[in-house]
Amino acid sequence: MVLLRVISVEQAHRSISWTTLILVGGMIPLSTAIQQTGAAEKLAHAFVDVVGGASPYVVVAGLFVVTATLGQLISNTATALIITPIAISVAGELDISVLPLLMTVTVAAAASFLTPVATPANMMVMGPGGYKFGDYWKLGLPMLLWFLVVATVLIPVIWSF
């Protein structure tokens, strides 16, 4: 947009969400640390202990629930960065393809509908729309459940185990 002169460089700098940039920038080393310290393997082992004996579809649903739950509490981008190394370890431990699990993390992290803190867009509409914290659950919960169903059914069809 700067190259096409739609906005100036100064306007572009002012529009950057520095809080989000710092949060995501800080989560990248945390994601690396989770993997390098062995925490991802330990968390993956605990996850597999809970759902490992079931079908891969249950693994996808369980990973979705974990990711979506965390995604309601912190930034969805940060959630994806935290859960990704765990999903990679789960795939390795179950000896299945990592692709459906990573896509599950992506879809579940995007399903941040229940709280205003989950995404900048949710926070931006809260004030002008006159929404309360609990208002997000009215449409957010059905949407989250729909994402869960679609992810559990379609992801393994498109990216096989």
Side-chain angles (χ1 to χ4, degrees):
M1 289 182 65
V2 171
L3 292 175
L4 295 175
R5 300 181 192 263
V6 175
I7 60 172
S8 69
V9 174
E10 294 167 0
Q11 289 171 318
H13 279 263
R14 282 194 306 255
S15 68
I16 294 173
S17 173
W18 292 105
T19 305
T20 303
L21 185 65
I22 291 168
L23 176 67
V24 171
M27 287 297 128
I28 293 171
L30 177 63
S31 179
T32 303
I34 287 171
Q35 192 166 16
Q36 289 180 350
T37 61
E41 286 83 17
K42 288 184 182 193
L43 291 168
H45 185 69
F47 180 80
V48 169
D49 284 346
V50 173
V51 297
S55 80
Y57 289 93
V58 174
V59 173
V60 166
L63 190 60
F64 185 98
V65 169
V66 168
T67 305
T69 301
L70 184 60
Q72 306 311 315
L73 306 172
I74 63 173
S75 159
N76 57 353
T77 307
T79 298
L81 288 169
I82 291 169
I83 300 294
T84 294
I86 298 167
I88 293 168
S89 295
V90 167
E93 192 164 327
L94 293 175
D95 197 28
I96 60 175
S97 173
V98 72
L99 293 177
L101 300 188
L102 292 180
M103 290 310 298
T104 300
V105 169
T106 304
V107 171
S112 301
F113 305 122
L114 301 181
T115 65
V117 298
T119 64
N122 289 2
M123 187 62 78
M124 286 172 44
V125 299
M126 186 174 183
Y131 298 122
K132 297 181 209 75
F133 198 89
D135 290 338
Y136 287 86
W137 282 75
K138 292 175 185 169
L139 183 59
L141 187 58
M143 288 294 296
L144 181 65
L145 294 174
W146 177 243
F147 268 55
L148 171 63
V149 169
V150 170
T152 304
V153 172
L154 283 183
I155 286 175
V157 170
I158 299 168
W159 294 276
S160 63
F161 295 111

